[in-house]
Amino acid sequence: MFHYEAYFPEKKLLNLSVAHVVDYLIKTHQYYRQYLIPEIDRLLQLFLNSCDGKCAESELIRNFYDKFQHECIAHFQIEEDEEFPFILELNRVIETKADKDSFLAKYGNFVVRDFEEDHVNIDDKMFDLENIIIKYLPPQYDQNIGNSLLSNLFLFEKDLKNHSRIEDHILLPKVNQLLKSLDDHE
Ligand SMILES: [Fe+2]
Ligand SMILES: [Fe+2]
């Protein structure tokens, strides 16, 4: 799936357990937060510092990137703090045939969010950032560092696209399935 964009075995992935899918998603958030994002931060700083002379664009890129980075991290946090705990608890109630009243008392008003729009926003910003770096920067910036920075941005873009595809096309349908089962469940 990560190697071939056109390959997305939806049926197979829909058979995975919800707990498994959520575990995978949390682990990839950790990989982004602990490794990929700090690495991009580091390279961006090196890249901006490498500019020789007047580099008015640096501040613009810095601000754009900071906003983008905050948006990504806030997005992961909402999923981890609100969405995933709800999903795991819903899954537990269905799997163990537990009493649904206590679940409803806690989560009765919970509305499952559709994150597709957030995912598209993040993806668009990533694309804009790459384009600014590729097309609009004067050559006073170190090109080798720029290439390393871009490689990491491309890696993040690709990984995050697959990550979001799993959330939108595997996790969300599974949650809807579970919610239907909850309705039939005594
Ligand atoms: Fe996520
Ligand atoms: Fe997401």
Side-chain angles (χ1 to χ4, degrees), residues 148-159:
S148 300
L149 171 63
L150 281 170
S151 305
N152 278 277
L153 280 172
F154 293 148
L155 180 69
F156 190 24
E157 182 189 6
K158 188 175 169 202
D159 212 279

Side-chain angles (χ1 to χ4, degrees), residues 86 89-95 97-105 107-108 110 174-186:
F86 166 78
E89 187 55 15
L90 171 65
N91 185 50
R92 189 191 66 80
V93 171
I94 301 293
E95 267 187 356
K97 298 189 167 55
D99 175 41
K100 75 175 182 182
D101 291 341
S102 56
F103 174 79
L104 288 176
Y107 287 112
F110 190 88
K174 285 184 86 81
V175 171
N176 288 331
Q177 243 172 36
L178 289 173
L179 285 171
K180 264 194 201 131
S181 319
L182 188 72
D183 282 341
D184 306 334
H185 184 67
E186 286 307 307

Side-chain angles (χ1 to χ4, degrees), residues 129-185:
L129 180 65
E130 289 161 359
N131 265 336
I132 296 170
I133 295 171
I134 294 168
K135 289 187 189 160
Y136 301 108
L137 282 193
Q140 289 95 316
Y141 292 87
D142 185 303
Q143 299 301 303
N144 287 324
I145 301 173
N147 286 337
S148 300
L149 171 63
L150 281 170
S151 305
N152 278 277
L153 280 172
F154 293 148
L155 180 69
F156 190 24
E157 182 189 6
K158 188 175 169 202
D159 212 279
L160 201 55
K161 254 188 198 156
N162 279 314
H163 178 98
S164 302
R165 268 207 295 181
I166 292 175
E167 288 174 347
D168 297 335
H169 301 292
I170 305 300
L171 190 62
L172 197 64
K174 285 184 86 81
V175 171
N176 288 331
Q177 243 172 36
L178 289 173
L179 285 171
K180 264 194 201 131
S181 319
L182 188 72
D183 282 341
D184 306 334
H185 184 67

